[in-house]
Amino acid sequence: MENIVINTVEMHTGGEPLRIIKSGYPEIVGKTILDKRKFVKDNLDALRKFLMYEPRGHYDMFGAVQVVPDIANADVAFLFMHNEGYGTMCGHAVIALGRYCVDNKLVPYKEPESEINIQCPCGLVKAFVNCANGLTSSVRFRSVPSFTVKSDIEVSVPAYGTLKVGVAYGGAFYAFLPLNDVGLNENSPIDQIRSAASSIASVVKAQEAIVHPESADLSYLFGVIFTDNMTGPYFDLTVFADAQVDRSPCGSGCTARVALLYHKKLIKLGESVEIKNRLTNSSFRATAVEETHCGEYSAVRVEICGNAYYTGTATFTAEAQDNLKEGFLIA
């Protein structure tokens, strides 16, 4: 570990960090991107902890590492990492990576928009990067087919009673319910929000079979999203992975939420909504743009638009005598 030298580019989207690994990572092998995801989990997980955990990261850190795509029309491919492991989709990361890929000439710069096909573990995501006067700015991306599994599931959660949740997919599966259903609001202590989300996630995982129709690797509940009362104004507060709190409105979560709203006929095709994270007051614009299917599910493709910003670069190393060099977490 002490011989490791990893260079990164640091960004954030709506306040949610993204540590992009630029160099120093070992070769990631596998026939498909899901094979590569399994490879890093089985063989390189110490490096995830090295970069995501303290003292180089923190409990709510997020990262991305580039891999070789295995889809013919993909320009680039990335794996996503967080405090628990490796995600299947990350919208805030795609927004940041759109700018990063154009700025680093991984795809050609073109005005007024540069297009880039990004292969994520959940599938191919097309991003559109606004370009003017040699500079990149906002990014929108079009999701994989997104769908509602169930719009109203009753779950009995200790300390919170019987709750109704919706489960939807936007590159990852999320459970949705209004925050005030658990007696909290956006000003409540964040530890109480984490605790409520973790309790709900445990019950939903135990009660409901979360199955993606095309891949077992995508078949798991990634997080819980607390909302308003689903009729606007729209806000999301996402707790994912191991009780990690998203500082942004959560790109894949907004995608899943639009799929749920569309399923409930609360929005129409082509209608845009603004979804905010009130902790940071950051927002994404979300639009259901096209009907499609995913297995037996009626689905929609959703466009999410937001802004990402550079915050710096870093070189991460370790010294042999450092007893904490492998990283640690304090929740």
Side-chain angles (χ1 to χ4, degrees), residues 32-85:
T32 69
I33 194 168
L34 290 172
D35 292 339
K36 294 179 176 74
R37 180 171 173 259
K38 185 177 187 303
F39 178 86
V40 295
K41 180 179 179 180
D42 293 344
N43 298 278
L44 301 177
D45 204 47
L47 291 179
R48 175 185 64 85
K49 296 173 182 176
F50 178 80
L51 290 168
M52 298 295 103
Y53 287 10
E54 298 179 54
R56 299 167 191 84
H58 53 82
Y59 194 85
D60 298 294
M61 194 63 194
F62 204 95
V65 61
Q66 188 173 358
V67 296
V68 177
D70 58 84
I71 297 176
N73 56 340
D75 298 303
V76 293
F78 287 89
L79 299 176
F80 308 121
M81 61 184 72
H82 45 71
N83 69 5
E84 186 182 48

Side-chain angles (χ1 to χ4, degrees), residues 99 102-103 109-112 129-138:
R99 286 197 68 198
V102 175
D103 292 338
Y109 174 93
K110 182 180 179 181
E111 297 183 4
V129 184
N130 279 341
C131 297
N133 302 315
L135 301 175
T136 56
S137 56
S138 64

Side-chain angles (χ1 to χ4, degrees), residues 123-181:
L124 192 68
V125 175
K126 182 179 284 292
F128 305 85
V129 184
N130 279 341
C131 297
N133 302 315
L135 301 175
T136 56
S137 56
S138 64
V139 179
R140 61 188 174 93
F141 69 85
R142 186 164 292 195
S143 73
V144 295
S146 302
F147 54 88
T148 296
V149 177
K150 293 183 180 178
S151 58
D152 289 298
I153 300 169
E154 285 196 351
V155 293
S156 181
V157 183
Y160 302 102
T162 299
L163 302 170
K164 283 188 176 182
V165 304
V167 176
Y169 176 82
F173 286 96
Y174 296 91
F176 293 84
L177 74 162
L179 183 55
N180 59 19
D181 281 8

Side-chain angles (χ1 to χ4, degrees), residues 86 129 299-300:
Y86 303 88
V129 184
V300 291

Side-chain angles (χ1 to χ4, degrees), residues 221-242:
L221 186 74
F222 187 45
V224 171
I225 298 183
F226 292 116
T227 71
D228 46 72
N229 287 313
M230 298 300 288
T231 57
Y234 298 101
F235 81 83
D236 277 358
L237 182 53
T238 303
V239 183
F240 66 96
D242 184 11

Side-chain angles (χ1 to χ4, degrees), residues 198-216:
S198 296
S199 297
I200 294 162
S202 294
V203 173
V204 173
K205 289 175 183 178
Q207 178 177 316
E208 300 295 327
I210 306 296
V211 178
H212 191 280
E214 296 178 351
S215 174

